[in-house]
Amino acid sequence: MEDNLDSFLKQQLEFITQKYIAEQMDDVIKKIQQIAKNFAIATKDKKSPFRNVLSVAVSPTSSIEVIKNFIKSQIGRSGASPIWSTKNGNELFAIALIQDIDSLQNDTEQIIKQVRKNINKDNPLNSYTDNPDKQKEMKKRIHLKLVQLYLGYLAREHTALVGEAKFK
């Protein structure tokens, strides 16, 4: 019986968390649009290199550091898309992308604040949201989910920009 209750609470927390992730996505998409514009990624390569990094991101063994390591490796890889080494001033696209990934931690914090704020004090979910170990796990899970969404929407943004350029 205890396991069923635990499972139910985790599902309930996941549902609430997804709601606040969805609400945060407009801000995340603005970051994507800004980096795509700053580095003019559609003019650097017509083929999107983001599907490969997205595959790494959604792998069951993935983590934020694994994703960032993959992105960094693309800068020096022979045959890699020129997007990765595109510069805006002195900044490389790949490094700016990693900074955006790191900055999603701020969005993660906002989501967690909203989740905690909207759970009643007497709700058993507080046993998860108030537990430091479970809170750390929750932060990692939400941050990874945001990165996965970010990379998916970045791939879409690139495709859209390449398509728009055909009509100009």
Side-chain angles (χ1 to χ4, degrees):
M1 188 70 160
E2 183 75 24
D3 287 341
N4 286 340
L5 180 61
D6 193 49
S7 178
F8 175 73
L9 290 174
K10 285 180 181 177
Q11 288 174 348
Q12 202 176 19
L13 184 58
E14 181 65 24
F15 179 73
I16 293 167
T17 302
Q18 289 299 326
K19 174 185 183 238
Y20 292 110
I21 287 174
E23 289 179 8
Q24 196 69 28
M25 284 312 297
D26 284 349
D27 290 339
V28 173
I29 289 173
K30 287 177 186 170
K31 288 180 189 182
I32 294 164
Q33 292 167 337
Q34 191 61 51
I35 196 170
K37 178 182 172 189
N38 288 350
F39 288 89
I41 62 173
T43 64
K44 306 304 178 193
D45 195 349
K46 303 299 180 222
K47 187 177 176 211
S48 176
F50 305 115
R51 302 277 182 228
N52 291 338
V53 71
L54 186 56
S55 293
V56 169
V58 298
S59 166
T61 58
S62 194
S63 71
I64 301 297
E65 293 306 316
V66 167
I67 296 165
K68 292 182 341 185
N69 179 269
F70 179 84
I71 292 168
K72 281 183 188 176
S73 75
Q74 298 306 299
I75 298 169
R77 191 175 71 77
S78 173
S81 172
I83 290 174
W84 299 114
S85 56
T86 297
K87 285 188 166 187
N88 181 12
N90 289 330
E91 188 174 32
L92 288 172
F93 173 78
I95 302 303
L97 180 59
I98 289 169
Q99 290 170 346
D100 267 8
I101 287 171
D102 286 340
S103 78
L104 291 173
Q105 186 63 41
N106 296 330
D107 296 277
T108 300
E109 296 291 338
Q110 288 301 319
I111 291 165
I112 289 173
K113 282 181 188 175
Q114 288 297 328
V115 168
R116 292 184 80 205
K117 181 176 139 185
N118 288 289
I119 295 175
N120 295 331
K121 298 288 182 216
D122 59 344
N123 190 319
L125 284 175
N126 285 317
S127 66
Y128 287 97
T129 59
D130 293 342
N131 179 312
D133 290 333
K134 291 181 181 186
Q135 202 174 75
K136 184 177 178 183
E137 179 185 316
M138 192 170 139
K139 284 179 188 179
K140 284 176 73 172
R141 188 177 46 74
I142 293 170
H143 190 189
L144 181 59
K145 180 67 175 173
L146 285 176
V147 170
Q148 292 166 339
L149 289 166
Y150 179 105
L151 293 170
Y153 281 105
L154 181 59
R156 286 182 182 174
E157 182 70 13
H158 178 263
T159 301
L161 291 171
V162 167
E164 288 173 14
K166 288 179 186 177
F167 297 104
K168 287 185 180 180

